[in-house]
Amino acid sequence: MSELRWINVAGAALNQTPLDWEGNSQNILKAIQQAQENHIQLLCLPELCITGYGCEDMFFAQYVTDFAMEILLELLPKTKNIVVAVGLPVTFENSIYNAVALLSDGKLLGIVAKQDLAGYGIHYEPRWFKRWYPGKACMLRWKNLQIPFGDLIFSIDGIRIGIEICEDAWSGQRPAQKHYQNNVDIILNPSASHFAFGKSETRKILVQESSRAYNCVYVYTNLVGNEAGRIIYDGEILIAQQGKLLAQNQRFSFQEVQLCAATASIDALKRKKRKAFNFLPECPSNLIEESNFCFSSPKRFYPPQSDFKTLSKEEEFYFAECIGLFDYMRKSRSRGFVISMSGGADSSACTILAVHSFIQAWKQLGKEVLLQKIGYWGLDAAITLEALIKEGVWGVYQSTANSSKATLESASALAKQLGITFLHWDVEPIVQHYVRLVSSQWRRALSWEEDDIALQNIQARVRAPSVWLLANLQGALLLSTSNRSEAAVGYATMDGDTAGGLAPIAGIDKAFLLQWLQWAKETLNLSALEKVLRLKPTAELRPPEAQQSDEADLMPYPLLDKIERAAIHQHLAPHEVLQWLQQQNLERSSKLPHYIAKFFQLWARNQWKRERYAPSFHLDDANLDPRTWCRFPILNGNFKKEIEKLYEHTKKGFAS
């Protein structure tokens, strides 16, 4: 009786940076070395991991693909006794392709080109890359080498290996279908798949079902961290065989390299294939055979895992923001964070996340590695976590005559519990100086009755120069605290509360943010948030007797978010939004037509503000960032005809 045959397969999540040739290469080599030390025989690395996925228009530079190919060839001697899939851009016949090379024991067996390009939302691949046509294979000439290139499958020691690259797996005519017809045993999926809420469960279904439908071992791997600014990668690695999930890693790792491995049964694959393969239609293939490399037959080295935890939306938000903020800070060589704290929900959330980015880095990396990553700070090696937080996160409360005692106490209590450096200064004299300066040469004296918006805005704008000065002195990253609900209707002051280099919560609606703060109060043991959650959301820019509140200025936040989703993401007209809300029994207020009209008018009027927001993290597919997800003309018709139709429908009885 012959010995049972197994193969150790693994994916590696890498934290790469666009065009960081040395850093990216070190991570790749570290992954290969760790795999070799852990008896891995087949290793899958992420998409475009040599250059980084987010190189944007630098992919057009010839030297970028040249450097990538040179680094690929430098990796060859490091692949002793292992097969490795490595992502890189490749120039072929004056076009650029998103590709994956398969290296085997010092040899470059061939390079597979991506067939389906991601060209929606935050992905812009068709701008830089040309799609490869299924079934086509050529020879790529690089210096004195001739390399098989195109739609390839590989046979190594009798095991057939196919590759589909990220978006390939989500298309209707995916490469895996032909791989199945060509009796492929293992399919590798090197990806650069952006994080979005709930996406992990969708990926898990894809991987498990692919392994079942195509009777194979399916290995999925991804980038991790904040690679290029807006996109956060969760570093998910999934390995499944014939419908069963064998291994899944812990997402959102702060490690530069994270391996996840499983031992797959080759015998189980072959047995089922012998029963089914005779019934498959013939399919032409471009087969690259390598018979000199031998997969050893280990015993079951990596037993299947059993505990695959699903994170809640609150947990996903927490971990995505923590790794996103930490990576953005260190890769931009900023020295911590500065937040203008108002005592309200938005700035409180940003402050908590900034602090916990350090807490998670300290916990996951350890003190020594963490200090190496922020070595440009020049910190003493004996520093404690508490001292690091005090040095790395600065909050400032800037009061005017309209600021309340309650918001000051809210901000200072949270700052004290978090252990950050907290400052308080009064900017009212500066506000009055500007009011007097303009009033002296204006046609009349300024008043709240006639100049409400202008007098509100000057208070917000006055706070920007001082907090920018603090950030510059500290060499820190100034965080803008606007949320998505405000962005939708322009409820923010340009060059005021929008000031900052990064807007970490601009992709999150207000309703969820309040829900998350409740979670943070309980889960992170932040009792100081009780004060924040008791406050009514308010800009505190009008005199106290006006009793200003955000929802009085706008509409109830939960309703605003529902209208936004229907209007912007479902592309419904105003009267259709009204019908949809009523049919779903989501809202029956007599003010509903007015709120809908107000939303559309504010949306149309404030596109210029969304164009000027600081870069934000993409957290779900309801993002409003016009540079990556939701485009809208700055100059437009302001929905005049559409709103007229809304009120026509209201008169006909659609509204209660």
Side-chain angles (χ1 to χ4, degrees):
M1 182 177 177
S2 61
E3 184 180 359
L4 291 177
R5 197 170 185 214
W6 308 86
I7 181 171
N8 292 332
V9 297
L14 306 181
N15 192 320
Q16 307 296 76
T17 303
L19 307 174
D20 180 6
W21 306 107
E22 182 179 359
N24 293 349
S25 298
Q26 287 176 352
N27 287 344
I28 291 169
L29 288 169
K30 186 176 179 181
I32 294 172
Q33 182 180 359
Q34 286 184 11
Q36 291 166 327
E37 291 171 352
N38 287 278
H39 310 284
I40 303 301
Q41 298 157 296
L42 176 59
L43 174 65
C44 183
L45 301 179
E47 180 179 13
L48 294 171
C49 62
I50 289 181
T51 57
Y53 181 83
C55 294
E56 306 284 339
D57 282 1
M58 288 307 296
F59 281 121
F60 291 131
Q62 181 64 48
Y63 80 85
V64 170
T65 54
D66 287 349
F67 277 12
M69 186 63 74
E70 290 170 7
I71 289 170
L72 178 71
L73 298 180
E74 290 170 2
L75 294 174
L76 287 176
K78 308 296 183 180
T79 60
K80 185 177 181 181
N81 298 324
I82 192 171
V83 177
V84 184
V86 187
L88 75 164
V90 173
T91 299
F92 177 73
E93 294 184 346
N94 208 34
S95 295
I96 308 166
Y97 294 90
N98 183 340
V100 170
L102 196 69
L103 315 181
S104 173
D105 196 26
K107 297 180 183 178
L108 173 52
L109 300 185
I111 300 176
V112 175
K114 193 171 184 178
Q115 298 177 21
D116 288 274
L117 303 176
Y120 49 86
I122 57 175
H123 297 289
Y124 210 179
E125 290 180 20
R127 178 179 176 89
W128 309 301
F129 304 118
K130 186 175 181 178
R131 69 180 294 265
W132 191 263
Y133 290 99
K136 180 181 176 183
C138 305
M139 294 301 291
L140 168 68
R141 290 172 177 80
W142 170 257
K143 296 185 177 178
N144 62 339
L145 298 175
Q146 292 197 42
I147 307 162
F149 182 73
D151 184 359
L152 311 172
I153 61 174
F154 304 87
S155 178
I156 304 175
D157 191 21
I159 297 175
R160 291 197 172 194
I161 300 170
I163 296 172
E164 51 182 12
I165 307 169
C166 199
E167 187 70 15
D168 284 342
W170 302 91
S171 69
Q173 299 293 323
R174 55 188 290 193
Q177 294 168 350
K178 287 187 177 180
H179 293 338
Y180 175 56
Q181 293 173 327
N182 280 301
N183 205 18
V184 164
D185 302 297
I186 300 172
I187 298 177
L188 306 178
N189 186 331
S191 290
S193 176
H194 69 273
F195 164 76
F197 291 125
K199 193 174 182 181
S200 173
E201 290 304 299
T202 305
R203 288 196 203 112
K204 196 181 299 183
I205 292 170
L206 172 76
V207 171
Q208 284 186 263
E209 283 302 298
S210 295
S211 72
R212 181 198 60 77
Y214 304 122
N215 191 31
C216 68
V217 174
Y218 199 96
V219 182
Y220 172 95
T221 193
N222 197 9
L223 293 169
V224 68
N226 185 338
E227 187 214 43
R230 288 182 171 87
I231 299 178
I232 295 171
Y233 299 100
D234 60 11
E236 186 158 48
I237 304 170
L238 298 162
I239 304 173
Q241 177 173 345
Q242 294 166 303
K244 181 180 180 181
L245 192 61
L246 300 180
Q248 179 183 12
N249 66 328
Q250 176 188 336
R251 295 188 292 147
F252 304 111
S253 171
F254 277 63
Q255 301 291 337
E256 296 288 315
V257 175
Q258 185 191 29
L259 251 63
C260 179
T263 302
S265 170
I266 299 303
D267 298 273
L269 286 173
K270 298 294 187 184
R271 280 195 301 270
K272 190 170 181 180
K273 283 177 180 295
R274 280 194 292 269
K275 295 178 181 178
F277 195 65
N278 289 340
F279 300 97
L280 294 178
E282 291 187 7
C283 179
S285 67
N286 302 304
L287 182 66
I288 308 298
E289 295 197 60
E290 169 56 47
S291 57
N292 294 325
F293 183 85
C294 179
F295 287 118
S296 59
S297 299
K299 296 180 180 179
R300 181 171 290 188
F301 199 83
Y302 295 94
Q305 298 177 18
S306 58
D307 181 21
F308 303 116
K309 183 184 177 185
T310 299
L311 299 177
S312 67
K313 184 177 180 180
E314 290 80 6
E315 289 172 317
E316 285 194 319
F317 176 67
Y318 170 78
F319 287 114
E321 286 280 344
C322 284
I323 196 171
L325 283 166
F326 182 75
D327 273 356
Y328 198 107
M329 178 204 68
R330 69 181 180 88
K331 291 182 181 182
S332 65
R333 296 186 68 79
S334 301
R335 205 171 184 275
F337 306 97
V338 170
I339 303 104
S340 187
M341 297 182 70
S342 68
D346 299 337
S347 61
S348 296
C350 289
T351 307
I352 293 166
L353 293 165
V355 168
H356 276 263
S357 71
F358 288 112
I359 292 174
Q360 282 298 319
W362 187 283
K363 177 181 177 181
Q364 293 193 40
L365 297 174
K367 176 180 174 180
E368 184 178 345
V369 175
L370 169 57
L371 293 182
Q372 287 175 359
K373 288 184 178 295
I374 57 173
Y376 56 92
W377 288 30
L379 296 173
D380 190 302
I383 194 169
T384 63
L385 175 59
E386 291 74 20
L388 176 64
I389 290 171
K390 199 165 190 65
E391 178 69 19
V393 184
W394 291 58
V396 55
Y397 182 93
Q398 303 181 78
S399 57
T400 69
N402 301 320
S403 302
S404 68
K405 181 181 178 182
T407 54
L408 173 58
E409 290 178 348
S410 173
S412 59
L414 181 62
K416 182 178 180 180
Q417 187 168 25
L418 290 171
I420 69 170
T421 299
F422 182 71
L423 306 175
H424 171 210
W425 52 61
D426 182 9
V427 296
E428 180 64 22
I430 307 173
V431 173
Q432 292 306 319
H433 172 76
Y434 274 112
V435 171
R436 288 193 301 270
L437 180 70
V438 174
S439 294
S440 66
Q441 298 189 39
W442 187 239
R443 60 193 66 165
R444 55 172 170 74
L446 304 185
S447 69
W448 282 103
E449 291 74 22
E450 295 186 71
D451 310 300
D452 177 79
I453 297 298
L455 289 174
Q456 287 192 67
N457 284 344
I458 189 58
Q459 294 170 74
R461 290 197 176 103
V462 155
R463 292 174 171 133
S466 50
V467 76
W468 266 123
L469 177 59
L470 176 62
N472 289 164
L473 291 171
Q474 180 67 6
L477 181 63
L478 178 60
L479 299 182
S480 168
T481 62
S482 293
N483 62 63
R484 190 174 79 206
S485 301
E486 295 172 345
V489 291
Y491 194 66
T493 301
M494 279 293 103
D495 308 312
D497 49 343
T498 59
L502 176 67
I505 62 169
I508 291 297
D509 61 70
K510 187 78 168 192
F512 173 73
L513 202 64
L514 292 170
Q515 176 183 322
W516 183 81
L517 285 172
Q518 185 65 45
W519 173 90
K521 180 173 80 75
E522 298 165 3
T523 308
L524 306 179
N525 298 315
L526 293 172
S527 57
L529 284 176
E530 191 64 47
K531 292 180 181 291
V532 177
L533 291 165
R534 281 203 304 262
L535 293 172
K536 181 185 295 185
T538 174
E540 284 197 327
L541 296 174
R542 291 195 181 102
E545 58 269 21
Q547 295 185 328
Q548 183 180 19
S549 76
D550 294 356
E551 293 188 323
D553 284 350
L554 299 170
M555 65 191 75
Y557 273 120
L559 175 59
L560 190 159
D561 296 333
K562 291 170 188 172
I563 295 173
E564 177 215 310
R565 279 172 167 75
I568 307 307
H569 306 292
Q570 298 180 43
H571 303 291
L572 300 183
H575 72 280
E576 293 173 325
V577 174
L578 176 65
Q579 291 174 331
W580 180 77
L581 288 171
Q582 293 181 337
Q583 289 168 2
Q584 301 294 319
N585 292 318
L586 296 176
E587 193 67 41
R588 284 287 175 180
S589 169
S590 60
K591 295 182 179 179
L592 189 53
H594 166 71
Y595 286 146
I596 293 171
K598 186 174 186 177
F599 175 87
F600 275 90
Q601 289 169 334
L602 290 173
W603 170 271
R605 190 183 305 160
N606 288 292
Q607 179 65 17
W608 69 278
K609 288 189 178 182
R610 291 186 290 275
E611 298 279 353
R612 290 189 56 205
Y613 268 47
S616 62
F617 294 150
H618 182 93
L619 299 169
D620 66 14
D621 293 344
N623 201 325
L624 301 183
D625 189 339
R627 286 158 289 189
T628 59
W629 196 260
C630 186
R631 292 170 174 83
F632 186 82
I634 296 173
L635 303 178
N636 55 79
N638 206 34
F639 296 105
K640 184 174 183 294
K641 184 176 180 63
E642 292 88 339
I643 291 172
E644 289 174 357
K645 191 169 184 179
L646 165 69
Y647 286 116
E648 288 174 8
H649 276 67
T650 303
K651 291 176 183 177
K652 292 177 183 178
F654 280 99
S656 56

